[in-house]
Structures are given as C-alpha cells and as structure tokens.
C-alpha cells in the first residue's frame, strides 16, 4: 500500500525535480530484436528455407500453438538464433524464409505483416538482415481480439477529436468537426465538452490494415472485417465530471489508458489527477501529446520534457519512450506490454495528421495483457456480469450494458440479478446479446456487451448490480472493512466521515464506522477502516480495489473483510459468512 501511496503522491504533488533527459529509443533497439517475454508470443527462427514436408508440418503445428497462446497473434523474428544471437540472413534466404512463413500462415488461415527489417553486423561479406513479422488470424471461435483503452486528459486537450479522427478516418478541420459524431447529448455539442462515457471502435484486419467508419462502413461491417478491435472509452476531462471518469476507470476494466495532453497548455487542470488515478488503479498508460500543429517545435519539446520529468520522479518511477518512427512504435508496443514501467509518448496532430500513423502502428501491434490460459481459467468459473448501463429500447425491452467478469453467458440463459434495495436477487432471462452493435450468441469472460432482458421491469435495476449464475451464492454486504491509504485530506479523517466509495462498478456513499487502532487519520497515513453503505447492500469481493473521495479528500485501498448477508433466491436470510467481522 505504501508504494501505491508513493506513486500517487508523485503525480499529485507539485514536482520540481530535474529530469534525466530523453531516453533514446536507439539504445533499446538491440534489446528489442532479441527474444522478449510478451503476452503475444515472440518466436525466433534462424531461417525457413525449403523445409522438408515433415519439418513444414511441425512448423505449422508450432504456429497454431503460438497463435492460440497469443489469442490470435504471434511475432516471428527471422534471422535470430534460439539463444537470441542476431545472425541475419542474406537477401535470397530471407525471401525464401518469408515465402515459407506465408505458406505456413495460409495453412492455419492467418495473414503475415512485415513489421520491420534491419541489417546486422556479422562476419560475412554478404549483407545480412533480420526481419520481424506479425502473424494474425481470426480465432476459430470467431471472437476477435478486443482491447479496451480508456481515454484520459484535461478538458480541451483534444481527446474526443483524436478519437473522431481515428474512428471516422477523416482529419479534423481545426474547429472540432471530427468529435461531433462522438457526443451523446445536445449540451455536449453546444459546449464541445464530454460529460458522459461513450464508446468508439477501431478495427485492424489480419493484414494489420485499419478498419474504421470510412467508406461508409457500419459497426457490423467493422466487426466482421476485423481480427483485432480497439474499444476506446471516451471519458470526461472537466473536474465537475470526475465521478463519471472514476466510474469509467473502475467499472469498465480498461486494459490500457491513453492520457492526452495538449502541447500548447502542457500539464494543466485534471491531467495530474487522471495520471494519478491510472497509477493508483494499476492501469498501464501511454501518453499522446496533441495539437502539435498549433505550437512551435520548442513548445512541444518543453511539454515533452515536462512530462518526462514527472514520469521519472520516484513517485511515478516510469521510463518515458518518445516515439518518432515506425520502428520506435513497434519497439514501444512490445516493451510496453512487457514492462509496466515503460511509458510511450506520441506527439501528433488531429488536424494535419502528423505522426497519426505511428499511433495506429502502436495500437495494431499492442498485445493483450492476458494469455489464452488465463482466459480459459476465467471461463471455467460461474457466470458473473457487471451492470454498468441500463436502457429501454423500443420493441426490445430492457437492455443492460456491462462486462462479463467470469464464466460464459449464452443467449437464452437464465440468471439472477441483484442485490435489490432489500438484498434480494431476482430471476431473469437473457433474450439476446450484442457486442459492438453486432449480434452475438456467446459472451466470454472479459468481454463487454449489452444484454436484452425482454419485459423485465427496468425500475428494479440500477448501476452496480451483478447478474450471476443461479448456482452462485453471491456475497452481499452493507458493512465491510478495507485497508486504505489517505492520499489527501485538509484536516483529519475521523469516524462519522462520509465518502463516495468506488469498488468496480459499485458507486455509493458510505460512512466511516471505525478506524482500527487510531482515532483519526492524516494525509499519507494508512489504516484498516470499517465502512457502512448508507442506502442498500452491494455485491463485493475480498481483495477488490477501492477508491473513495469527498471533495478534495481522496484515498485508495482494497477490501479486506465483509460482514456478509447470505441470500436465498427471491428471499433474504441474515447470517454471518465465512469472512465474518468481529464487533
């Protein structure tokens, strides 16, 4: 907990330390071409010239396994020995090896894309080079790889405009035209400021080409054409919508976060706070410096150095990597997935399109954080779906949106939803499922979707509920304990203080009932605190990350114990569960 506090303080406080200078990506290049442990498997092959039929079948089997491990993606390094030695191949050998790799990919229904080539120094008169190749296919179950990226940054930093340019395929006119399709409310269009959470999709096909709304594509066509999908969660930048931004980060479980900083204003407003939220919740983040077309080169460099200085502080302990070329983007994507301390920085413009392609290359190669084995383990568990949004759709009925935390959810499946205000769970049936506006029969753990519930009464539902398998005995509680670190409070934090608690998709006011071992807390101190929800019981799990706030007061921690209320279907039975509290 102390290290989490240090990370937060490193971005919350006014930092005046001197930066250590820009990290040169060239220093990383030699490391990056060696084998690295990535979630997307990296395969080293010296050469694949005219293999025998037996050898070819063996290589195809290996490729199938690699693609399965990487959830449809694998990176092959041609010209590198198994021990990581950069030997390189001649032009003729490389051409023959790529031809073999292409045959292997066709055999398993995949495509290959050359990421980069580089000449190597080797004891030979003939020029030799190594090549890095991305192999990608649509998984056999037709479930494309889906990564969720939360978009953070201060108001007017260009978040929605950047997403509009990426997803619509057209540059902005400098007056915000690109962002208009992203807004959900009239007041957002009038003010130009996002106040709600919206979702936008950007696809990549098996060849690594961008698939978006250009050429009059629909969302269904984008999903059908894509092997990999990036779902952007556009969050609000204004401070008065902070609770909405926190809900988006805690509830929608983003894989990564993209922090957008305006080149002409630098680190201002809520930028530090959003950076601190991403670090406190341990969401890996990269940085995009936008609006470089409005500034001189010196202004952009000043903003970059300002960010580097903050990222290198002991509270953050990050290593910034400035991306200036396609080669840098490939290196940054691979190293970013491997090490949580690396933070890529992009400088681009949504008006001129400068360096926009580098961000697309990065997103295309960015591997998932979980491998297929972890995904399988989650799918073996009982069904649990978090309710984040509730709608009423004409001729469809009640629809809920959210994320499947564990298990598998099928069309027509019977589940129970709750807890209600009196702690009950109610029966319901999943009538249909949609992912990214496309029909889907099966939903797997980690995927976000909307579920149609037919005539189920919407008034019985609220955000923060869960839909679970009837076999599960969900633990609900009104009283729980958490080990917390008080990040900031103007005076002292005492018994009776009320805060808004965020735990996953749960957001409710709670009152501090007891601080164990202390009468009060000051900024920077930690303790085990007992909270009581003031309205209704909630579904919580021990170990869940917790974030609480009230005005300028902020704190983080994790749930350590619950006073469980054991439920029976459509009924309520009071008892203490196995994790009972002592009073």
């Amino acid at each position: 907990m102390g290290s989490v506090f240090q990370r937060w303080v490193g971005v919350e406080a006014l930092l005046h330390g001197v930066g250590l200078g820009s990290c040169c990506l060239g220093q990383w290049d030699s490391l990056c071409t060696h084998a690295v442990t990535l979630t997307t498997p990296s395969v080293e092959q010296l050469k694949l010239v005219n293999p025998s039929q037996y050898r070819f079948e063996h290589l195809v089997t290996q490729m199938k396994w690699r693609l399965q491990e990487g959830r449809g993606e694998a990176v092959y390094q041609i010209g590198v020995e198994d021990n990581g030695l950069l030997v390189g191949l001649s032009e003729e050998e490389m051409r023959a090896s790529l031809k073999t790799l292409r045959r292997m990919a066709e055999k398993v229904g995949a495509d290959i894309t050359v990421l980069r080539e580089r000449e190597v120094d080797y004891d030979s008169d003939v020029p030799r080079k190594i090549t890095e190749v991305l192999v990608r296919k649509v998984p056999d179950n037709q479930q494309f790889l889906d990564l969720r990226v939360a978009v953070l940054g201060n108001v007017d930093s260009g978040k929605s405009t950047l997403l509009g340019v990426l997803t619509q395929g057209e540059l902005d006119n400098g007056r915000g035209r690109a962002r208009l399709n992203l807004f959900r409310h009239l007041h957002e269009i009038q003010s130009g400021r996002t106040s709600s959470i919206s979702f936008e999709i950007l696809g990549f096909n098996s060849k690594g080409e961008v698939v978006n709304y250009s050429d009059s594509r629909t969302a269904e066509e984008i999903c059908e054409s894509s092997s990999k999908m990036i779902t952007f969660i556009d969050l609000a930048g204004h401070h008065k919508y902070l609770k909405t931004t926190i809900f988006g980060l805690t509830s929608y479980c983003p894989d990564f976060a993209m922090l957008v900083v305006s080149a002409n204003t630098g680190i201002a407003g809520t930028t530090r706070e959003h950076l601190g939220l991403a670090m406190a919740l341990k969401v890996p983040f990269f940085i995009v410096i936008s609006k470089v077309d409005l500034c001189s080169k010196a202004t952009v460099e000043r903003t970059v150095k300002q960010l580097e200085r903050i990222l290198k502080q002991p509270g953050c302990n990050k290593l910034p990597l400035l991306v200036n070329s396609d080669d840098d983007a490939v290196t940054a994507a691979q190293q970013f997935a491997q090490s949580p301390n690396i933070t890529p920085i992009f400088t681009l413009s949504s008006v001129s399109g400068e360096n926009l392609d580098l961000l697309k290359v990065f997103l295309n190669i960015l591997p998932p954080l979980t491998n297929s084995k972890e995904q399988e383990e989650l799918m073996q568990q009982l069904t649990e779906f978090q309710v984040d949004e509730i709608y009423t759709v004409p001729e469809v009925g009640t629809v809920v949106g959210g994320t499947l935390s564990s298990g598998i959810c099928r069309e027509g499946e019977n589940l129970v939803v709750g807890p209600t205000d009196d702690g009950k769970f109610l029966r319901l049936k999943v009538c249909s499922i949609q992912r990214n506006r496309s029909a889907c029969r099966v939903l797997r753990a980690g995927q976000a979707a909307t579920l149609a519930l037919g005539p189920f009464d919407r008034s019985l539902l609220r955000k923060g509920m869960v839909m679970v398998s009837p076999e599960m005995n969900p633990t609900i509680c009104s009283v729980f304990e958490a080990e917390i670190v008080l990040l900031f409070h103007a005076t002292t934090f005492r018994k009776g203080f009320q805060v808004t608690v965020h735990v996953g998709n749960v957001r409710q006011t709670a009152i501090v009932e007891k601080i164990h071992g202390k009468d009060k807390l000051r900024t920077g101190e930690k303790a085990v605190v007992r909270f009581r929800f003031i309205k209704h019981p909630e579904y919580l799990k021990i170990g869940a990350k917790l974030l609480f706030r009230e005005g300028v007061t902020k704190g983080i921690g994790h749930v350590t114990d619950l006073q469980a209320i054991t439920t029976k279907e459509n009924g309520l039975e009071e008892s203490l569960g196995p994790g009972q509290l002592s009073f």
Side-chain angles (χ1 to χ4, degrees), residues 515-534:
I515 302 175
H516 288 279
K518 297 182 180 179
D519 294 328
K520 57 190 177 185
L521 285 180
R522 296 185 182 275
T523 299
E525 294 182 344
K526 64 179 180 179
V528 176
V529 176
R530 184 192 303 160
F531 294 96
R532 178 183 290 275
F533 289 124
I534 66 170

Side-chain angles (χ1 to χ4, degrees), residues 154-373:
N154 189 39
V155 63
D156 299 330
S157 61
K159 300 184 295 298
S160 299
T161 299
L162 175 59
L163 293 192
V165 170
L166 286 172
T167 59
Q168 304 296 326
E170 291 184 6
L171 295 175
D172 188 52
N173 63 352
R175 295 187 295 277
R177 181 181 63 190
R179 69 189 178 196
L180 293 179
N181 290 325
L182 276 66
F183 290 146
R184 299 174 63 186
H185 304 290
L186 179 60
H187 71 266
E188 291 180 329
I189 296 173
Q190 292 169 340
S191 67
R193 291 178 175 175
T194 303
S195 64
S196 60
I197 300 173
S198 62
F199 299 85
E200 294 299 323
I201 56 174
L202 174 68
F204 294 94
N205 63 20
S206 56
K207 296 179 181 178
E209 299 165 341
V210 171
V211 183
N212 55 23
Y213 287 107
S214 60
D215 302 325
S216 301
R217 286 193 185 96
T218 63
E220 292 83 355
E221 289 170 340
I222 293 175
C223 294
E224 288 171 5
S225 306
S226 301
S227 300
K228 180 177 187 175
M229 189 77 72
I230 308 291
T231 301
F232 292 105
I233 308 168
D234 190 16
L235 302 175
H238 200 283
H239 192 273
K240 71 178 179 180
Y241 305 124
L242 181 63
K243 71 173 185 179
T244 303
T245 301
I246 294 175
F247 182 78
L249 275 174
T250 57
S251 178
Y252 292 106
C253 309
D255 299 295
F256 305 100
M258 177 170 73
L259 181 69
V260 182
V261 179
S262 176
N264 55 350
T265 58
I267 299 174
T270 56
T271 304
R272 274 194 174 91
E273 197 154 12
H274 286 186
L275 179 58
L277 285 170
M279 293 184 65
L281 296 170
K282 297 182 180 178
V283 180
F285 64 91
F286 57 96
I287 297 174
V288 171
I289 299 176
S290 63
K291 302 185 181 181
V292 297
D293 57 298
L294 295 178
C295 309
S296 64
K297 192 174 180 181
T299 304
V300 175
E301 287 176 357
R302 187 171 68 245
T303 302
V304 170
K305 287 180 180 177
Q306 187 183 15
L307 280 165
E308 287 176 341
R309 189 163 59 245
I310 284 183
L311 291 172
K312 289 178 181 179
Q313 290 295 321
C316 293
N317 197 27
K318 299 287 185 182
L319 179 63
L321 294 181
L322 189 59
V323 178
N324 290 316
S325 66
D326 284 352
D327 194 59
D328 293 350
V330 174
T331 300
Q334 294 178 343
Q335 293 293 326
F336 181 55
Q338 181 193 10
S339 170
N341 291 331
I342 289 172
T343 304
I345 300 177
F346 298 83
T347 56
L348 54 81
S349 168
S350 299
V351 175
S352 67
E354 180 183 346
N355 291 341
L356 205 59
D357 287 340
L358 299 185
L359 182 59
K360 293 176 184 176
V361 169
F362 175 80
L363 293 171
N364 176 38
I365 302 167
L366 194 60
L369 292 176
T370 57
N371 58 33
S372 58
K373 185 178 179 182

Side-chain angles (χ1 to χ4, degrees), residues 4 28 42 63 76 96 116 133 138 178 227 253 266 277 315 322 326 333 348 374 438 449 475 484 557:
V4 175
W28 287 84
S42 182
M63 180 178 279
Y76 274 70
R116 54 182 172 176
V133 182
V138 179
S227 300
C253 309
L277 285 170
L322 189 59
D326 284 352
L348 54 81
E374 293 169 338
S438 298
T475 305
I484 67 160

